[in-house]
Amino acid sequence: MRIDWDVPIPMDDGIVLRADVYRPTAEGRYPVILSYGPYAKGLAFQDGYPSAWQRMLAEHPDVAYGSSNRYQSWEVVDPEKWVPDGYACVRVDSRGAGRSPGFIDHFSPRETRDFFDCIEWAGVQPWSSGKVGLNGISYYGINQWQVASLGPPHLAAMCIWEGAADWYRDMTHHGGILSSFWANWYDMQVKTVQYGLGERGPRSRVTGAPVCGDETLSEKQLYRNRCDFGDDILAHPLDDAYHRERSAAWDRITVPFLSAANWGGQGLHPRGNFEGFMRAASRDKWLEAHGIEHWTHFYTDYGVGLQKRFFDHFLKGADNGWDKQPRVQLQVRRLDRFVERHEGEWPIARTLWARFYLDPDGHRLAREPGAADTVSFDALGDGVTFVSAPLEAETEITGPLAAKLFVSSSTSDADLFLVFRVFTPDMREVVFQGAIDPHTPIAQGWLRASHRRLDAKLSTEYRPYHTHDAPQPLAPGEAVPVEVELWPTSIVVPAGHRIALTVRGRDYEYSKSTGARLSNFKNELRGCGPFLHDDPRDRPAAVFGGRTTLHTGPQQASYVLVPVIPPR
């Protein structure tokens, strides 16, 4: 490869961002694979995220095969697997991060404009064919939705691998409840590679240069060069302009794209991948859904092969059959493996939407509503679980879920944490290696009861869409209907197993202690990974610490809607 380090890319306000460019040694014009983000282009995957790297290679040696792995970085492509196929790979350190100076303000309009300018810069370089593709995981996927909303002329295709899209609903406020993830992420993954750490920061294992710039700034200077990210999010509890300007504008996204979701990514990404496929204006769009860890399949032969087929078609004009690729490719989850299957749409057209009703009598999940009844629980506690009879036949559940509940509170509000679960015949819970957490349940959903107002145009029975713009406090003791979105999932449940719905007052826990940790997260992984809702400023006990009551019966039928997929 020919490698150009720290190539300058000037922005319209005078700031100069820095990029590394990897391209073939032969002169020519090549399509570009570009990424823009804050994780420091010079920080090796192995150094910045050692536990994730080691776990991935232990189970998927194909990731490392065929590469020296000297240029591996977190959540972006390995140029050694792309440049030989005739691509130029461009990695840009976003404003204020790595070797790019400036003020850090994540996903802001300023960042999105920078990303736009980087795409346009790459599109006119003498080594560029003029066609730019975007590819990357997580942050490097989220901001693709945003910049595509601006319509960069040289943007020809994008692959959003596990990338959320709605800053409020997907990322910061699940059902209106504040997620503490971003404040902790900021401490662990951004401040540690901020521009200006200089000699106090890590060094590139390839060039030896300081990963975080040649300047070494004081802590006070570093603080002045970044936003108060967690507090900024806390200051915007409703879906206001702050959130909307950091979210996708679906009607303005027209570029071809491949949206790759992770069934186990509850709490961050998959909702955006599915929403993007359903709502973006692009005519040429595909959806893929897989399992296991968040970062793994992007790097496996499976993932790289899929990405290359897509980009070869749209960036090189290759007649490789991609135009005949079914619109939806699913890795359907079984208890012991994944089985690939293609569909023509999402949700799957032949879905049989099955209602399972909550019955406090015996805490049953039944096919018909029971007698009028109630069940109460500590509003900040572990809640109550409703369990079905053993399933008579193997049952595939693939798609979005939703619940309609009748709820009252002893106070003016209540937070609802819903967990859709599967149990073996001897009542052991079935959990999976999720995107982050090794004990991830089948599906989850959240709702703050005062945020129950629905958008009538966007809501469906299987995907209630809340406005989150005007809270409706509860009258203590008065039952109200609420509809709760549970994020899409896939599981083939064996005969004799049971399904269940738990309604809780706090985050799901598989176990009080698991010992599972990753180097880039603060908390032990107990079932929800780092996607917790534990900031007491958002959930004061005076409001959320009372008693929550579920109401059931023919006139207040509370149920969970389950997407059952019949065989073809």
Side-chain angles (χ1 to χ4, degrees):
M1 295 185 297
R2 176 182 299 180
I3 307 174
D4 301 307
W5 306 110
D6 279 345
V7 178
I9 307 179
M11 299 293 103
D12 59 7
D13 63 350
I15 286 285
V16 177
L17 305 184
R18 297 290 172 173
D20 293 341
V21 179
Y22 305 80
R23 53 196 172 99
T25 54
E27 294 296 330
R29 294 180 177 272
Y30 300 96
V32 178
I33 300 294
L34 186 143
S35 56
Y36 169 101
Y39 295 142
K41 60 185 175 57
L43 181 65
F45 194 138
Q46 302 93 313
D47 297 336
Y49 300 85
S51 55
W53 176 257
Q54 290 158 11
R55 178 187 296 182
M56 181 167 61
L57 261 60
E59 298 191 15
H60 301 275
D62 55 314
V63 170
Y65 183 76
S67 173
S68 73
N69 298 296
R70 284 167 50 83
Y71 310 101
Q72 291 276 14
S73 288
W74 177 245
E75 298 190 332
V76 295
V77 301
D78 177 1
E80 287 189 81
K81 293 194 175 182
W82 287 80
V83 172
D85 285 342
Y87 286 96
C89 296
V90 178
R91 293 176 177 168
V92 186
D93 275 341
S94 58
R95 182 179 293 244
R99 293 183 63 82
S100 291
F103 183 83
I104 296 178
D105 188 5
H106 295 295
F107 304 115
S108 65
R110 176 68 262 178
E111 263 207 356
T112 305
R113 186 69 213 184
D114 288 350
F115 196 3
F116 179 104
D117 290 345
C118 290
I119 293 167
E120 292 308 293
W121 173 88
V124 299
Q125 296 308 298
W127 38 261
S128 170
S129 71
K131 290 191 174 184
V132 178
L134 307 178
N135 197 12
I137 314 174
S138 193
Y139 200 108
Y140 300 101
I142 296 168
N143 60 12
Q144 292 182 46
W145 297 122
Q146 295 172 309
V147 77
S149 302
L150 301 183
H154 287 93
L155 178 57
M158 58 184 192
C159 174
I160 308 96
W161 202 275
E162 301 188 36
D166 186 317
W167 185 232
Y168 189 90
R169 292 163 184 81
D170 298 355
M171 295 179 266
T172 66
H173 291 77
H174 299 128
I177 308 169
L178 178 71
S179 171
S180 57
F181 165 74
W182 289 102
N184 294 329
W185 166 86
Y186 199 42
D187 290 341
M188 299 293 287
Q189 292 185 240
V190 176
K191 293 178 183 178
T192 53
V193 289
Q194 183 180 355
Y195 175 86
L197 280 173
E199 293 299 325
R200 299 201 305 276
R203 287 185 174 271
S204 165
R205 60 165 54 191
V206 178
T207 68
V211 163
C212 302
D214 296 327
E215 287 187 278
T216 302
L217 304 178
S218 68
E219 289 298 328
K220 182 179 290 188
Q221 289 173 307
L222 291 172
Y223 177 78
R224 288 200 300 262
N225 285 344
R226 62 180 185 247
C227 67
D228 290 323
F229 199 44
D231 287 345
D232 287 352
I233 294 169
L234 178 69
H236 295 272
L238 301 178
D239 185 19
D240 58 14
Y242 168 83
H243 294 281
R244 289 191 293 273
E245 68 187 13
R246 288 163 170 78
S247 300
W250 298 123
D251 60 331
R252 298 204 297 267
I253 297 177
T254 58
V255 64
F257 68 80
L258 169 62
S259 178
N262 188 315
W263 301 121
Q266 302 154 28
L268 188 53
H269 292 305
R271 184 182 185 277
N273 286 114
F274 289 105
E275 286 282 304
F277 176 73
M278 291 188 294
R279 297 180 60 193
S282 300
R283 182 183 55 135
D284 296 315
K285 54 185 177 180
W286 286 264
L287 173 68
E288 186 271 352
H290 54 268
I292 65 176
E293 301 95 347
H294 170 50
W295 51 86
T296 299
H297 264 319
F298 182 79
Y299 294 99
T300 63
D301 289 348
Y302 166 79
V304 174
L306 191 68
Q307 296 159 40
K308 283 184 178 178
R309 284 184 57 226
F310 170 75
F311 282 118
D312 283 354
H313 180 73
F314 284 105
L315 299 189
K316 295 181 177 181
D319 184 12
N320 61 3
W322 185 267
D323 56 326
K324 298 180 179 61
Q325 170 79 8
R327 293 295 171 147
V328 176
Q329 178 169 307
L330 305 177
Q331 299 295 330
V332 177
R333 181 166 55 183
R334 288 181 169 269
L335 267 58
D336 59 347
R337 66 192 186 281
F338 292 88
V339 178
E340 185 170 303
R341 191 178 71 225
H342 294 103
E343 300 286 349
E345 68 290 309
W346 183 268
I348 298 169
R350 65 182 186 283
T351 301
L352 302 176
W353 299 100
R355 293 185 182 185
F356 288 82
Y357 294 88
L358 280 58
D359 187 348
D361 183 13
H363 289 180
R364 296 184 304 127
L365 204 56
R367 293 311 308 274
E368 300 293 337
D373 203 349
T374 62
V375 60
S376 299
F377 58 89
D378 178 352
L380 291 174
D382 293 334
V384 59
T385 298
F386 301 86
V387 184
S388 77
L391 298 184
E392 295 180 359
E394 179 180 271
T395 303
E396 180 186 335
I397 297 170
T398 297
L401 297 88
K404 184 170 184 178
L405 307 175
F406 287 82
V407 177
S408 64
S409 172
S410 62
T411 70
S412 61
D413 214 339
D415 283 347
L416 304 172
F417 296 74
L418 271 60
V419 189
F420 184 77
R421 308 165 77 178
V422 170
F423 290 92
T424 63
D426 59 354
M427 293 304 294
R428 289 176 292 112
E429 185 173 9
V430 175
V431 292
F432 292 92
Q433 171 61 60
I436 301 296
D437 201 290
H439 302 101
T440 299
I442 305 304
Q444 296 184 71
W446 309 262
L447 184 67
R448 177 157 290 173
S450 62
H451 285 230
R452 63 191 179 276
R453 185 197 304 273
L454 294 173
D455 184 313
K457 291 183 179 180
L458 293 176
S459 290
T460 64
E461 186 182 16
Y462 61 77
R463 199 288 315 274
Y465 192 97
H466 300 89
T467 61
H468 298 296
D469 58 356
Q472 299 175 306
L474 303 178
E478 181 180 333
V480 298
V482 300
E483 296 186 42
V484 186
E485 174 186 8
L486 282 79
W487 290 12
T489 191
S490 177
I491 176 67
V492 178
V493 185
H497 283 52
R498 302 169 189 256
I499 62 173
L501 182 73
T502 298
V503 183
R504 298 170 56 87
R506 62 184 179 188
D507 287 305
Y508 167 85
E509 285 186 344
Y510 173 75
S511 174
K512 293 293 182 184
S513 178
T514 65
R517 290 185 177 273
L518 287 172
S519 57
N520 51 311
F521 298 126
K522 292 181 179 181
N523 62 296
E524 185 179 8
L525 306 179
R526 297 179 181 175
C528 291
F531 309 113
L532 303 176
H533 307 80
D534 55 0
D535 190 326
R537 296 173 297 176
D538 182 63
R539 307 186 69 210
V543 177
F544 297 98
R547 296 283 292 175
T548 300
T549 300
L550 301 176
H551 301 253
T552 66
Q555 304 305 314
Q556 295 177 314
S558 295
Y559 62 85
V560 58
L561 186 70
V562 178
V564 176
I565 309 300
R568 280 197 177 104

